[in-house]
């Protein structure tokens, strides 16, 4: 299969591109930034094409589709984060996604896997929610991801495109450069620096290991007949930040890390909405998705990779929780 991965130089897109290359697919990465792709080039250069361009540039997208004629798209490119400015979120995430859908229509690429987000729900109304939970996003980022879901349905009705939305939770693991739990906690633990996050201990959040996320995307990409257009790809469980700190201390004894009570504040500023676990039974039933790594196992894997040098902690940033 020839798959065009928008945002393929980012955390999720690159891990996904690597998995698809490993199994023999041809990959076209379309991204504004092409840094950090050297290892993919040297391992899979003959089956990897990289195109520098923005999804907001319809001409650049059309040229990439015309040159490479992908069989499918995995759409990861986005401005990510709860503090994204409304204008940027709309221009890049919404307008850019419409360009991707138009390029698919023009060049007859039928299937797209869109990486959507639990942020489309806003405040969770229960400890565990399924895909039918009301979608009332409270951030511009969440609104932009929900708009893409709705707009894709228009392209399905009018043009027969099949866009599958995989709503995921907070993905963690090697390769994530943004400052976020558990990365900042694990990096502090490994570098021996004290880190106290003054808030957030009571926030329960679903954390998905990058390997499980990639497996879920690959399964959804391969599945022939989707009875739904939205699925959760997550861990299916949630843990509070208090529990997260305890788990990391169990892996790195003596770690001087702690978290205060109350809800988590994103980058210390924006109080996150009420979260919880994402029910993954639909993805399990339809295409056999089963996450393999509990948080403790995933955190241990991250620690082991860091210690073996394959993922170097950015200790100088550890205190910026
Ligand atoms: N990481 C998570 O925990 C998480 C959770 C839910 C949803 N998502 C979604 O997954 C996708 C990937 O997230 P990520 O964590 O890998 O983010 P990331 O920031 O690491 O990667 C995003 C990539 O998109 C590229 N990009 C940004 N604007 C672009 C544009 N105009 N044109 C082309 N490329 C552009 C960036 O250069 C980057 O390589 C996003 O759509 C995000 O909304 C991520």
């Amino acid at each position: 299969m020839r798959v065009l991965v928008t945002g393929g130089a980012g955390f999720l897109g690159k891990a996904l591109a690597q998995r698809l290359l490993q199994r023999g697919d041809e990959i076209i990465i379309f991204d504004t930034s092409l840094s950090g792709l050297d290892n993919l080039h040297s391992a899979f250069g003959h089956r990897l094409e990289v195109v520098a361009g923005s999804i907001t540039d319809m001409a650049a997208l059309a040229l990439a589709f015309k040159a490479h004629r992908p069989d499918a798209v995995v759409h990861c490119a986005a401005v990510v984060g709860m503090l994204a400015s409304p204008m940027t979120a709309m221009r890049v995430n919404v307008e850019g996604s419409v360009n991707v859908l138009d390029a698919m229509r023009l060049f007859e690429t039928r299937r797209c896997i869109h990486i959507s987000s639990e942020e489309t729900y806003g405040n969770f109304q229960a400890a565990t929610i399924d895909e039918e939970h009301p979608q009332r996003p409270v951030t511009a980022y969440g609104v932009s991801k929900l708009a893409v879901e709705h707009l894709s349905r228009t392209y399905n009705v009018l043009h027969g495109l099949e866009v599958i939305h995989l709503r995921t939770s907070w993905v963690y693991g090697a390769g994530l450069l943004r400052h976020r739990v558990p990365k900042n906690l694990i990096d502090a633990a490994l570098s021996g620096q004290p880190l106290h996050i003054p808030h957030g201990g009571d926030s329960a959040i679903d954390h998905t290991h990058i390997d499980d996320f990639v497996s879920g995307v690959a399964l959804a990409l391969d599945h022939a007949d989707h009875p739904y257009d939205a699925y959760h790809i997550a861990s299916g469980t949630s843990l509070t930040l208090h529990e997260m700190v305890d788990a990391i201390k169990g892996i790195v004894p003596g770690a001087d890390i702690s978290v205060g009570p109350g809800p988590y504040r994103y980058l210390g500023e924006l109080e996150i909405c009420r979260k919880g676990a994402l029910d993954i039974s639909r993805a399990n039933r339809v295409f056999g998705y089963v996450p393999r790594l509990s948080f403790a196992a995933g955190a241990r894997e991250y620690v082991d990779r860091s210690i073996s040098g394959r993922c170097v902690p950015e200790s100088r940033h550890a205190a910026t929780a």
Side-chain angles (χ1 to χ4, degrees), residues 6-14 29-35 51-57 75-81 91-93 96 114-119 141 144-145 166-172 175-178 180 208 210 213:
T6 71
F11 173 44
L12 303 189
K14 184 178 167 191
I29 287 179
F30 185 93
D31 199 309
T32 46
S33 154
L34 299 181
S35 60
V51 180
S54 172
I55 54 171
T56 58
D57 181 348
H75 181 31
C76 302
V79 172
V80 183
R91 286 205 175 130
V92 175
N93 299 2
H114 167 233
I115 310 305
S116 189
S117 169
E118 66 174 6
E119 285 300 311
Y141 168 71
S144 73
K145 301 301 281 186
L166 301 183
R167 299 179 194 140
T168 190
S169 62
W170 290 17
V171 185
Y172 71 98
L176 175 63
L177 299 178
R178 284 195 296 283
R180 186 193 251 191
T208 311
I210 183 72
F213 169 81

Side-chain angles (χ1 to χ4, degrees), residues 11 171-175 182-183 186 190 207-212 235 239 244 247-248 251-252 291-306 311:
F11 173 44
V171 185
Y172 71 98
K183 172 184 162 52
I186 294 176
L190 286 176
H207 286 270
T208 311
H209 191 273
I210 183 72
D211 291 352
D212 286 329
S235 75
L239 81 168
M244 176 181 281
I248 294 169
I251 299 167
V252 187
R292 302 280 170 202
L293 291 163
S294 65
F295 179 77
R300 182 169 291 284
E301 189 265 1
Y302 183 83
V303 166
D304 289 346
R305 287 173 70 133
S306 298
C311 158

Side-chain angles (χ1 to χ4, degrees), residues 47 52 78 83 186 255:
R47 281 189 282 108
L83 296 177
I186 294 176

